[in-house]
Amino acid sequence: MERKSFGNMQCPVARTLERVGEWWSILILRDALQGLTRFDQFQKSLDIAPNMLTRRLHTLVDAGMLERRQYNDRPPRFEYVLTDLGRDFRSIIIALNAWGNKHFAPEGPSVMLVDTKTGKQVDLALVDRNSGREINARDYAIVPGPQADSIMRERLESVARRREAANEALLQEQAADDGPKGKASKAKKAAGPKGTDAKSAKDKPPAKAGKLTKLTKRA
Amino acid sequence: MERKSFGNMQCPVARTLERVGEWWSILILRDALQGLTRFDQFQKSLDIAPNMLTRRLHTLVDAGMLERRQYNDRPPRFEYVLTDLGRDFRSIIIALNAWGNKHFAPEGPSVMLVDTKTGKQVDLALVDRNSGREINARDYAIVPGPQADSIMRERLESVARRREAANEALLQEQAADDGPKGKASKAKKAAGPKGTDAKSAKDKPPAKAGKLTKLTKRA
């Protein structure tokens, strides 16, 4: 009832939400990634009404995330198996899991992703394979792609302007703080790695960015 | 209408979904991460009914993701600014963005996350900071945490059993394929890095896992 179609939006996030459909779908995918395949397994796991589960499973089949396969002839029985597309959704489940554990499990984790060799809980980082560096808001930005239409371009350009204005305001604030030596200091701070540590920085790097760099070097 | 509360579930993914609430909330967070703060900015961006937007913004404020701040006295005007918790949701938006671009933008990307130094689109990897390695389904597993209740333990133990059964089936299949030398080959494959390349492997590593290792070493 509360939804409209995001399908005509260019944003990949909106397209993903459109395709996946709804919270139940994410929980079904989570379960499928843990190896559940049968209707009664999903129903037991999710405590979901059968008609709702049927609808969600069909949505995921139509979206190409699950494949419906007959595993018994008489009576006919079907199972729902992840496709490559569905299996690839794992990254989003992992990101949700890490964030949920970090913020919404104050009593300690109930579900942990661990390194099976060490048994140690994963400390998740998002890394750019091209550079080997962790993604932060200082060195990475959202920009229009080759297929962006004029609405998307305008939108992202206004984002870039806001970003620049925020950086400029930050630099001026730092210059004012530094008094007469403001100008030289401003240039230095803009180039230096500590240019974003003031409280108003919108693009503050994640707290542990340095740690990964270290680990990356060590590997 | 179609939702029930996931709040009593132990799973961090379910808790996250419960807290964030709904697709609109994710798109509002996406916009807030791009610098939008004001009601009319969100409304223009999302083309959402005002009463719905009001409700979603309040949900996100109640969840601690946004902070409502008065920026004008007469008339009183408010803006919605990301908290640290809200800013940390960035990792999920990035994962959604990467997956959406990979699968649902066949015409090419309209929105790209790029390295601002090189202008090159990010090739996203999920990495464990503890090991510096990319997370794959072979070396990483979901296990019960210290706070898991008996239902969660039972659930995750059955996942582990399914996983082991799948591995066992895979090994037997490989042994059969290999003929008389099956047994030696089986042990080798179980230990070797290519132990999961058969078609039925449930825990196939991501296609580019090797690439990151290379890049990680280079960094």
Side-chain angles (χ1 to χ4, degrees):
Chain A
M1 260 187 94
E2 292 193 351
R3 291 191 57 230
K4 54 175 277 186
S5 173
F6 305 126
N8 59 350
M9 294 187 188
Q10 280 212 319
C11 168
V13 176
R15 286 186 185 182
T16 298
L17 300 183
E18 172 70 20
R19 192 67 78 103
V20 177
E22 202 245 1
W23 293 146
W24 280 123
S25 306
I26 294 189
L27 295 177
I28 291 170
L29 289 171
R30 174 202 66 183
D31 284 356
L33 282 160
Q34 291 183 2
L36 305 195
T37 59
R38 296 185 185 175
F39 194 91
D40 58 318
Q41 292 174 332
F42 290 117
Q43 208 194 343
K44 188 181 166 207
S45 163
L46 297 168
D47 189 21
I48 181 178
N51 63 340
M52 177 86 71
L53 178 56
T54 301
R55 218 184 309 156
R56 291 298 153 222
L57 287 169
H58 286 175
T59 303
L60 289 169
V61 169
D62 290 345
M65 314 271 293
L66 293 177
E67 191 192 329
R68 187 168 178 259
R69 282 192 205 152
Q70 189 162 352
Y71 69 89
N72 198 39
D73 277 349
R74 288 153 68 99
R77 296 267 182 234
F78 297 89
E79 61 181 358
Y80 297 85
V81 183
L82 284 170
T83 61
D84 286 344
L85 176 62
R87 212 170 287 117
D88 205 34
F89 199 75
R90 199 176 137 85
S91 57
I92 293 156
I93 299 286
I94 290 174
L96 284 168
N97 189 296
W99 193 78
N101 264 339
K102 186 171 166 189
H103 297 294
F104 302 141
E107 77 283 15
S110 302
V111 181
M112 304 192 305
L113 182 65
V114 298
D115 184 334
T116 53
K117 290 199 183 80
T118 63
K120 211 172 161 184
Q121 190 173 10
V122 163
D123 185 7
L124 181 66
L126 271 61
V127 167
D128 178 8
R129 286 194 188 96
N130 292 320
S131 67
R133 279 183 296 123
E134 191 162 345
I135 294 163
N136 60 45
R138 188 186 49 193
D139 302 326
Y140 291 87
I142 291 283
V143 301
Q147 294 300 320
D149 60 21
S150 58
I151 297 168
M152 183 56 84
R153 276 182 198 283
E154 195 191 313
R155 177 196 170 89
L156 293 176
E157 275 156 22
S158 90
V159 169
R161 281 194 299 274
R162 258 192 304 275
R163 189 184 154 95
E164 277 163 27
N167 283 343
E168 187 55 34
L170 171 64
L171 291 173
Q172 284 178 1
E173 196 181 291
Q174 289 175 340
D177 286 351
D178 292 344
K181 291 189 295 181
K183 203 153 183 183
S185 169
K186 172 178 161 179
K188 201 180 81 192
K189 289 209 175 177
K194 298 220 168 176
T196 52
D197 58 357
K199 63 188 177 303
S200 64
K202 290 229 167 177
D203 45 3
K204 196 172 71 167
K208 295 194 176 177
K211 198 178 167 194
L212 177 81
T213 311
K214 203 173 64 193
L215 285 161
T216 309
K217 277 180 186 152
R218 206 180 62 190
Chain B
M1 262 188 94
E2 291 191 353
R3 292 190 57 230
K4 55 175 274 185
S5 174
F6 304 126
N8 59 349
M9 295 189 190
Q10 281 211 318
C11 168
V13 175
R15 287 187 184 182
T16 298
L17 300 184
E18 172 69 19
R19 193 68 78 103
V20 177
E22 201 245 0
W23 293 148
W24 280 123
S25 305
I26 295 190
L27 294 177
I28 291 169
L29 289 171
R30 174 202 65 184
D31 285 356
L33 283 160
Q34 290 183 2
L36 305 196
T37 58
R38 297 186 183 173
F39 193 92
D40 59 318
Q41 292 174 332
F42 290 117
Q43 208 194 344
K44 189 182 165 204
S45 164
L46 297 168
D47 191 20
I48 181 177
N51 62 341
M52 176 87 71
L53 178 56
T54 301
R55 216 183 310 156
R56 291 297 152 224
L57 287 169
H58 287 175
T59 303
L60 289 169
V61 169
D62 290 345
M65 314 270 293
L66 293 177
E67 189 193 332
R68 188 167 178 257
R69 281 190 204 153
Q70 189 162 350
Y71 69 89
N72 199 38
D73 278 349
R74 290 154 66 99
R77 295 268 182 234
F78 296 88
E79 60 180 0
Y80 298 84
V81 183
L82 285 169
T83 61
D84 286 345
L85 176 62
R87 212 170 288 115
D88 205 34
F89 199 75
R90 200 176 137 85
S91 57
I92 295 157
I93 299 286
I94 290 174
L96 284 167
N97 189 296
W99 193 77
N101 264 339
K102 186 170 165 190
H103 298 293
F104 301 142
E107 78 283 17
S110 301
V111 181
M112 304 191 305
L113 182 65
V114 297
D115 183 334
T116 53
K117 290 198 183 81
T118 63
K120 212 172 161 184
Q121 190 173 7
V122 163
D123 185 8
L124 182 67
L126 272 61
V127 168
D128 178 8
R129 286 195 188 95
N130 291 321
S131 67
R133 278 183 299 122
E134 191 161 345
I135 294 163
N136 60 47
R138 188 187 48 194
D139 301 324
Y140 291 86
I142 292 284
V143 300
Q147 295 299 319
D149 60 21
S150 58
I151 297 168
M152 182 57 84
R153 278 184 196 283
E154 194 191 312
R155 177 196 170 88
L156 292 175
E157 276 156 21
S158 92
V159 169
R161 281 194 298 274
R162 258 193 304 276
R163 189 185 154 95
E164 278 162 27
N167 283 344
E168 188 54 36
L170 171 64
L171 291 173
Q172 285 177 1
E173 196 179 293
Q174 288 175 343
D177 286 352
D178 292 345
K181 289 188 296 182
K183 203 153 184 183
S185 167
K186 172 178 159 178
K188 201 181 81 192
K189 287 209 176 177
K194 297 218 169 177
T196 52
D197 58 357
K199 63 188 177 304
S200 65
K202 289 229 167 175
D203 46 2
K204 195 173 74 169
K208 294 192 176 178
K211 199 178 165 194
L212 178 80
T213 312
K214 202 174 65 193
L215 285 161
T216 309
K217 279 181 185 152
R218 206 181 60 191

